[in-house]
Amino acid sequence: MPTQHISSTDLLSMEQRYRAAFINSLGGFKSLCMIGTKNKAQHTNLAIFNSIVHIGANPALIGFIVRPDSVERHTLENILETNYYTINHLNETNYKQAHQTSARYARETSEFEACGLTEEYLNQFHAPYVKESQIKLGLELKNKVDLTINGTILIIGQVVDIYIPENSIEKDGFVNIEKCGTITGSGLDAYYHTKKIARLAYAKPNIAPIVI
Amino acid sequence: MPTQHISSTDLLSMEQRYRAAFINSLGGFKSLCMIGTKNKAQHTNLAIFNSIVHIGANPALIGFIVRPDSVERHTLENILETNYYTINHLNETNYKQAHQTSARYARETSEFEACGLTEEYLNQFHAPYVKESQIKLGLELKNKVDLTINGTILIIGQVVDIYIPENSIEKDGFVNIEKCGTITGSGLDAYYHTKKIARLAYAKPNIAPIVI
């Protein structure tokens, strides 16, 4: 297939929304989730994020990027106020509602109610889970890292509670999130099913990759 | 489907490799790429990463997480020495080779040669691209952020060159990476095709999600 080259000069000349859609497509498929929070006044908030990143397994740390000038700021404010939040996977039955949480609702509106999703409280955890998600994590804030280069913030939390469908953990600890219904995304607004190609064994020099 | 609860106490009791596989599965599907570098002595290096994260569109910034105690340290050393690196997408024809780059090769071994991938140099860019990738980005290092919580590092680079198949940009700037053959991953070793469900229009309060 012939290749097209786009330079940094070309990027500068792009219209702003076009460039946002373009650059957001380049990093590959993304982790999608809804982050659930509740402030001290008991107002809940729910927002879709596509910037989840694994930070470490021991302790179990997950990060995500927040743009403080956007609707994401309500999520940030609630996390900083209470220290707790939930990460909830998207699936084919809730992705439209999840997308809808990105609309600019007023501060006092709960996206749970406005978008047709159900708050769920489990084991005395402060923040609400999404009942319609099949995989849900409860996290405690550990670090707020200001990325001075563009004013975004990396929030790092420790996973303290995990809810997954029974029988979804394979014998080596791998969770079959495809079987659980988790979907993936691209750009700012595209949603996808997955179809497994293969799992590959732990790689060693001079041994060809082995399907497991 | 009945739900299983895993607590932070359960996490502590997991065997180390089991826990790594487990926690790496929880964040959802991931961006996969190979990062290509070359040090001043002209030794090249190629490594697979699953921690790519969008940082911003203007300037165009992409981040990734490096674990300095792993094979990823060669990538880090080369980036810090030269400031340039490439991000190359995975597809069904190169994912086994990409996985193989995670083996612990010696410093002087180039994973390009050892794993059967081809270095490609485009427009005088210092770092090698992967010829077998259909989407490739050239980046300049902008920020190294030490995440003191667990010793990992967030590397942020600005996208300065982009190579994509012709006719893959839709009219609003969205790149159809599925059509380009990009695949996604889960955990540490699982690879997946995608199948589009839908793109949804920019969300607005009180308007139901619209498929575009």
Side-chain angles (χ1 to χ4, degrees):
Chain A
M1 201 154 19
T3 296
Q4 179 175 4
H5 175 218
I6 290 129
S7 69
S8 47
T9 314
D10 298 331
L11 288 181
L12 284 174
S13 70
M14 288 178 179
E15 184 274 325
Q16 185 188 338
R17 277 215 188 177
Y18 183 99
R19 179 172 49 222
F22 180 70
I23 298 295
N24 268 281
S25 307
L26 296 180
F29 291 100
K30 299 175 181 187
S31 291
L32 296 177
C33 74
M34 290 175 275
I35 295 186
T37 54
K38 185 172 72 173
N39 69 9
K40 287 186 178 166
Q42 308 298 309
H43 287 128
T44 59
N45 187 276
L46 188 67
I48 188 169
F49 282 84
N50 63 11
S51 58
I52 302 295
V53 64
H54 174 85
I55 304 288
N58 188 24
L61 300 171
I62 292 179
F64 70 98
I65 305 288
V66 192
R67 269 149 270 276
D69 58 347
S70 70
V71 293
E72 301 170 4
R73 76 183 182 284
H74 298 154
T75 299
L76 179 63
E77 287 165 4
N78 290 354
I79 292 175
L80 296 178
E81 189 173 304
T82 66
N83 276 345
Y84 291 98
Y85 56 105
T86 68
I87 287 184
N88 307 271
H89 281 211
L90 265 65
N91 55 54
E92 206 180 354
T93 70
N94 68 19
Y95 81 97
K96 285 186 178 177
Q97 293 90 329
H99 184 81
Q100 186 64 20
T101 66
S102 64
R104 291 192 170 268
Y105 289 104
R107 183 73 189 87
E108 60 274 15
T109 303
S110 172
E111 290 83 3
F112 280 98
E113 196 182 335
C115 303
L117 293 164
T118 314
E119 296 175 23
E120 183 177 40
Y121 292 92
L122 299 171
N123 290 312
Q124 281 80 50
F125 196 74
H126 172 79
Y129 294 94
V130 176
K131 192 177 172 61
E132 293 82 2
S133 287
Q134 77 289 13
I135 297 182
K136 344 180 196 225
L137 316 175
L139 291 99
E140 182 179 354
L141 174 66
K142 287 294 166 181
N143 249 208
K144 169 178 175 283
V145 183
D146 294 309
L147 305 179
T148 50
I149 192 164
N150 71 345
T152 57
I153 294 165
L154 170 64
I155 293 291
I156 300 176
Q158 182 166 349
V159 182
V160 294
D161 282 302
I162 298 153
Y163 299 91
I164 53 175
E166 273 184 9
N167 304 317
S168 56
I169 310 180
E170 300 189 355
K171 62 177 183 294
D172 62 353
F174 175 82
V175 182
N176 191 332
I177 64 172
E178 179 176 69
K179 193 174 114 186
C180 297
T182 297
I183 64 173
T184 182
S186 167
L188 294 163
D189 54 24
Y191 299 87
Y192 301 84
H193 289 297
T194 58
K195 186 166 188 311
K196 183 174 152 185
I197 302 169
R199 287 188 69 194
L200 298 179
Y202 187 83
K204 292 178 182 168
N206 309 319
I207 297 177
I210 299 162
V211 173
I212 54 177
Chain B
M1 200 156 16
T3 295
Q4 178 176 4
H5 175 217
I6 290 130
S7 69
S8 47
T9 314
D10 298 330
L11 287 181
L12 285 174
S13 70
M14 288 179 180
E15 184 275 324
Q16 186 188 337
R17 277 215 189 177
Y18 183 99
R19 179 172 51 222
F22 180 70
I23 298 294
N24 269 280
S25 307
L26 296 180
F29 290 99
K30 299 176 182 187
S31 291
L32 297 177
C33 74
M34 290 175 275
I35 295 187
T37 54
K38 185 171 71 173
N39 70 10
K40 287 188 180 166
Q42 309 297 311
H43 287 128
T44 59
N45 188 275
L46 188 68
I48 188 169
F49 282 83
N50 62 11
S51 58
I52 302 296
V53 65
H54 174 86
I55 304 288
N58 188 24
L61 300 170
I62 293 179
F64 70 99
I65 305 288
V66 191
R67 268 150 269 277
D69 58 349
S70 70
V71 294
E72 301 171 4
R73 75 183 182 285
H74 298 154
T75 298
L76 179 63
E77 287 165 4
N78 290 353
I79 292 174
L80 296 178
E81 189 174 305
T82 66
N83 275 345
Y84 292 97
Y85 56 104
T86 67
I87 287 184
N88 306 270
H89 281 212
L90 264 65
N91 56 53
E92 206 181 353
T93 70
N94 68 19
Y95 80 98
K96 286 188 177 175
Q97 292 91 328
H99 184 81
Q100 186 63 21
T101 66
S102 64
R104 290 192 171 268
Y105 289 103
R107 183 75 190 86
E108 61 274 16
T109 303
S110 172
E111 289 82 3
F112 280 98
E113 195 183 335
C115 304
L117 293 164
T118 313
E119 297 175 22
E120 184 176 40
Y121 292 94
L122 298 171
N123 290 312
Q124 282 80 50
F125 197 73
H126 173 79
Y129 294 94
V130 176
K131 193 176 172 61
E132 292 81 3
S133 286
Q134 76 289 12
I135 296 183
K136 349 185 192 218
L137 315 175
L139 292 100
E140 182 178 355
L141 174 66
K142 286 294 167 182
N143 249 207
K144 169 179 175 283
V145 182
D146 294 308
L147 305 178
T148 50
I149 192 165
N150 71 346
T152 57
I153 293 165
L154 169 64
I155 293 291
I156 300 176
Q158 183 166 347
V159 182
V160 294
D161 282 302
I162 298 153
Y163 299 91
I164 52 175
E166 272 185 10
N167 303 318
S168 56
I169 309 180
E170 300 189 355
K171 61 178 183 294
D172 61 354
F174 175 81
V175 182
N176 191 333
I177 64 172
E178 179 176 69
K179 193 174 112 186
C180 297
T182 297
I183 63 173
T184 182
S186 167
L188 295 164
D189 55 25
Y191 299 88
Y192 301 84
H193 289 297
T194 59
K195 187 166 188 311
K196 183 173 153 186
I197 302 169
R199 287 187 69 194
L200 298 178
Y202 187 83
K204 292 178 182 170
N206 308 319
I207 297 177
I210 299 161
V211 173
I212 55 175

